[in-house]
Amino acid sequence: MTFAGCSATSCGPQRPRLEVPATPGFAALVPLSNRNRSNFFCQRGRERKLERENEHLFLRRRRHRPIFRRGSSDSISEMVDPYLLGWIICSVLSLFALYSLAFAGKRRRASSEKKTDFSESVTTIAGECGSVIDADADIIIVGAGVAGAALAHTLGKDGRRVHVIERDLSEPDRIVGELLQPGGYLKLVELGLEDCVEKIDAQQVFGYALFKDGKHTRLSYPLEKFHSDVSGRSFHNGRFIQRMREKAASLPNVRLEQGAVTSLIEEKGTIRGVQYKTKDGQEFTAYAPLTIVCDGCFSNLRRSLCNPKVDVPSCFVGLVLENCELPCANHGHVILADPSPILFYPISSTEVRCLVDIPGQKVPSISNGEMERYLKTVVAPQIPPEIYNAFIAAVDKGNIRTMPNRSMPADPLPRPGAILMGDAFNMRHPLTGGGMTVALSDIVVLRNLLKPLRDLNDAPTLGKYLESFYTLRKPVASTINTLAGALYKVFCASPDQARREMRQACFDYLSLGGLFSQGPVSLLSGLNPRPLSLVLHFFAVAIFGVGRLLFPFPSPQRLWIGARLISGASGIILPIIKAEGIRQMFFPATVPAYYRTPPVAEKYQ
């Protein structure tokens, strides 16, 4: 049976006509007879033909060009459908290509920003901006004093690229930092810097001479087990620093630059570098994965890296005595004067440094001659007669200088990307000359921590690891700090009878010699920096003082003075120990940071 071309009048007898809804696809759901099925398909064929002709006319008017018919009307749909499909595919591909190009450009811009480390305009803690001039250093060191210069050479020798920024690269002229204890000299040897005390007319120091009320005792360093070259060294501070700067600058990967660092650059809680001004006033920024701040006792950056609690117990008045010989050659001299100690030690073959301690922060005026009168009337009568004339000549010469003595316990605020060292971080009274020993010991600790690390760019991980520095340095640093603070208070004159007895007991205890002098002197020299040994010797002095009071006939008054002596000794040393940290000082192995392992070393094994 053929359905094409059939009509309602030519197809046999008539039957009731089936009404087919116009809803598309409905015919597939209605059961039809053969006749009705034929009529349905004929009608749909005519409708489809009419739709194609209308579509053909529409396209012809729109495109203004002839449409060529080839064969039946189905050829139009065969031409139009592929074009529509092609347009759709082309549109989708074009959109995808544009999106890919835009996303790739964004990724290239992001990667280029990462390669430049940081943007050229950054906000510092001070809220200022500057332009980048150096992003090639591994470590930035702020300050090139004893700690900064020694650290620069040490890290440079280990292959690090070091950028040192120092406020003034000319030779310093200071009245402190001139006596290096034997323990500090051993650290200098360990760092390969022992030749820095050569060619500066440095003098060897083998111990101390202690004077009180016309008597004196000699306290020698316990150097029997060391090489003959091991001893203390005294020198001009500026000459020593210049030698270390020269040695650091001789390394090709160490760059020294003169500039004043004004602020640290902080980004999301991490220190990224520093902003500084050159001597001609230009502002620059420098970046490195690690910034080490050691800009001295006058540091303007320490507040962001520690809780500074600076105390100024006294001031030093400095003089230089020329062409005189000390009573005990090659020894430091400590005079237990009133109101506080006086120090003498050689700084060259022809010069002796004199430091007169004046309690408090106020000193006599130099300009109106008050200082000269004080030195001649109060100080001069108490010094040994062998150097009296040289002392008076130095006062008359008029080259008198003063400097406040600062004390500050270490109380760090660990920050990723930065670490604090030297006098910027921790200070003690300079009576015992332990500052450089602590600084050099800290450098050895930091060097050993950084040595296994290949990459310093993971600031949070590095900061967590370097927290162990603050624990590992404690035994040496806290021993020297505590001894300096306690000894200064014992050596100062006091109207209190118990304090006077403690002072006399200390002099007599050290005069006993043997173990009684070697133990304290080994602590003082940095050769045996053990906190427990310090505490034992300190209270041994107090008990010795009580024994002196009670022998041969104890009395209630002497018992009372003895009790006050023990109480006073506790009041001197216990607050210092508390400030240093009891756990870190005596039990550092119980601090979790003590066991931190190098993260990068584990990664690259």
Side-chain angles (χ1 to χ4, degrees):
M1 181 181 295
T2 303
F3 294 100
C6 59
S7 63
T9 57
S10 60
C11 295
Q14 296 289 325
R15 291 187 182 183
R17 185 167 182 170
L18 180 66
E19 294 294 335
V20 181
T23 305
F26 186 80
L29 305 175
V30 181
L32 301 175
S33 64
N34 291 338
R35 178 79 176 268
N36 290 337
R37 185 179 293 109
S38 173
N39 291 337
F40 172 76
F41 283 112
C42 288
Q43 183 179 355
R44 292 298 297 165
R46 287 193 297 272
E47 290 175 355
R48 192 175 298 169
K49 181 176 180 181
L50 182 61
E51 289 173 0
R52 289 190 184 119
E53 289 178 352
N54 290 336
E55 187 177 8
H56 165 70
L57 291 174
F58 172 76
L59 291 172
R60 184 175 180 182
R61 291 191 192 101
R62 184 174 181 180
R63 297 181 183 179
H64 300 286
R65 62 184 184 184
I67 301 297
F68 298 97
R69 294 174 62 93
R70 294 187 299 175
S72 66
S73 61
D74 292 337
S75 62
I76 297 175
S77 63
E78 292 172 1
M79 290 178 62
V80 174
D81 292 344
Y83 279 119
L84 290 174
L85 183 61
W87 276 107
I88 293 171
I89 293 173
C90 288
S91 300
V92 171
L93 291 175
S94 299
L95 290 172
F96 180 76
L98 288 172
Y99 175 78
S100 299
L101 288 172
F103 186 71
K106 192 178 293 184
R107 281 191 303 181
R108 281 195 297 270
R109 285 192 300 272
S111 63
S112 65
E113 288 174 1
K114 287 181 180 178
K115 288 181 181 178
T116 56
D117 291 329
F118 311 101
S119 63
E120 292 195 357
S121 180
V122 293
T123 303
T124 66
I125 293 176
E128 300 173 346
C129 295
S131 58
V132 177
I133 69 165
D134 184 16
D136 297 328
D138 296 320
I139 296 172
I140 292 172
I141 297 176
V142 181
V146 172
L151 186 62
H153 175 267
T154 301
L155 298 179
K157 195 171 61 172
D158 286 346
R160 307 286 185 186
R161 297 170 299 168
V162 182
H163 182 190
V164 184
I165 305 172
E166 162 60 33
R167 183 184 296 106
D168 185 3
L169 288 174
S170 61
E171 183 176 313
D173 184 14
R174 303 181 64 197
I175 63 172
V176 292
E178 297 173 320
L179 178 61
L180 180 65
Q181 298 287 0
Y185 179 78
L186 289 175
K187 296 298 180 183
L188 207 64
V189 173
E190 190 173 350
L191 296 172
L193 291 167
E194 67 274 15
D195 57 342
C196 291
V197 296
E198 299 174 359
K199 300 179 181 179
I200 60 172
D201 199 16
Q203 304 297 299
Q204 284 189 298
V205 178
F206 298 108
Y208 282 90
L210 194 61
F211 292 75
K212 184 179 186 296
D213 299 332
K215 299 178 181 179
H216 77 275
T217 182
R218 186 177 297 198
L219 309 171
S220 298
Y221 294 136
L223 302 173
E224 296 81 9
K225 298 179 180 180
F226 298 95
H227 189 271
S228 60
D229 194 49
V230 176
S231 66
R233 292 292 196 281
S234 55
F235 38 69
H236 282 272
N237 174 267
R239 296 176 188 176
F240 178 58
I241 288 176
Q242 288 301 95
R243 284 282 289 157
M244 287 200 294
R245 287 175 179 175
E246 291 169 6
K247 190 155 187 178
S250 66
L251 298 175
N253 50 327
V254 176
R255 180 162 74 94
L256 268 71
E257 183 178 6
Q258 184 164 310
V261 175
T262 56
S263 61
L264 300 173
I265 298 173
E266 182 180 4
E267 191 175 278
K268 297 181 180 178
T270 299
I271 305 300
R272 299 296 188 183
V274 299
Q275 184 173 33
Y276 65 100
K277 286 183 179 180
T278 58
K279 58 182 179 181
D280 56 359
Q282 294 185 358
E283 284 194 7
F284 296 104
T285 54
Y287 295 97
L290 180 62
T291 300
I292 303 175
V293 177
C294 41
D295 54 345
C297 60
F298 301 103
S299 173
N300 63 329
L301 304 175
R302 65 161 64 106
R303 291 191 176 276
S304 58
L305 299 174
C306 76
N307 291 315
K309 298 174 183 176
V310 181
D311 180 34
V312 184
S314 66
C315 295
F316 267 159
V317 178
L319 299 166
V320 174
L321 282 60
E322 297 178 342
N323 300 314
C324 75
E325 292 186 6
L326 292 169
C328 300
N330 297 105
H331 281 66
H333 290 59
V334 181
I335 291 88
L336 300 186
D338 187 3
S340 53
I342 305 169
L343 306 179
F344 293 92
Y345 52 87
I347 55 174
S348 74
S349 56
T350 60
E351 298 168 302
V352 171
R353 170 67 70 190
C354 170
L355 294 174
V356 178
D357 185 85
I358 299 179
Q361 301 182 27
K362 186 177 181 181
V363 298
S365 173
I366 297 175
S367 58
N368 63 10
E370 188 179 347
M371 177 66 76
E372 182 178 345
R373 286 193 299 273
Y374 177 83
L375 294 175
K376 288 183 177 180
T377 58
V378 177
V379 177
Q382 303 184 71
I383 66 174
E386 295 92 333
I387 54 177
Y388 178 85
N389 292 333
F391 179 81
I392 295 298
V395 174
D396 290 338
K397 191 174 180 179
N399 188 18
I400 303 172
R401 302 174 59 190
T402 63
M403 180 176 179
N405 295 323
R406 291 175 170 82
S407 176
M408 185 182 77
D411 189 7
L413 289 174
R415 301 282 294 278
I419 198 167
L420 195 60
M421 291 186 67
D423 283 349
F425 174 50
N426 183 204
M427 293 181 283
R428 77 288 311 149
H429 197 283
L431 172 70
T432 58
M436 289 188 289
T437 302
V438 172
L440 295 172
S441 176
D442 286 354
I443 291 170
V444 172
V445 172
L446 184 62
R447 189 242 353 231
N448 294 339
L449 287 172
L450 292 176
K451 207 161 194 175
L453 304 185
R454 302 185 186 182
D455 186 10
L456 305 178
N457 287 291
D458 188 353
T461 304
L462 178 65
K464 196 76 175 174
Y465 169 64
L466 288 182
E467 286 180 12
S468 59
F469 165 77
Y470 300 113
T471 302
L472 295 172
R473 68 178 295 273
K474 268 296 178 181
V476 174
S478 60
T479 301
I480 295 174
N481 295 344
T482 305
L483 179 62
L487 210 56
Y488 175 73
K489 291 183 178 181
V490 170
F491 281 179
C492 284
S494 172
D496 181 64
Q497 188 175 358
R499 290 285 297 273
R500 289 200 304 269
E501 290 293 337
M502 182 70 179
R503 190 189 197 201
Q504 185 64 47
C506 185
F507 180 83
D508 292 344
Y509 182 90
L510 295 172
S511 300
L512 293 174
L515 178 65
F516 302 102
S517 64
Q518 285 187 358
V521 172
S522 65
L523 292 166
L524 179 70
S525 63
L527 296 173
N528 181 32
R530 297 181 181 178
L532 186 58
S533 179
L534 167 63
V535 174
L536 290 175
H537 277 288
F538 187 82
F539 281 103
V541 170
I543 294 171
F544 176 77
V546 174
R548 286 177 65 258
L549 282 169
L550 301 182
F551 183 84
F553 302 109
S555 66
Q557 183 182 6
R558 290 186 175 187
L559 284 171
W560 173 243
I561 295 173
R564 287 173 53 207
L565 193 155
I566 296 293
S567 175
S570 302
I572 288 173
I573 196 169
L574 293 182
I576 302 175
I577 292 175
K578 183 180 179 181
E580 290 291 328
I582 297 174
R583 184 182 180 189
Q584 292 86 348
M585 185 172 175
F586 294 99
F587 313 105
T590 66
V591 180
Y594 189 84
Y595 299 99
R596 299 256 164 90
T597 55
V600 180
E602 293 178 351
K603 181 179 177 181
Y604 284 92
Q605 278 179 352

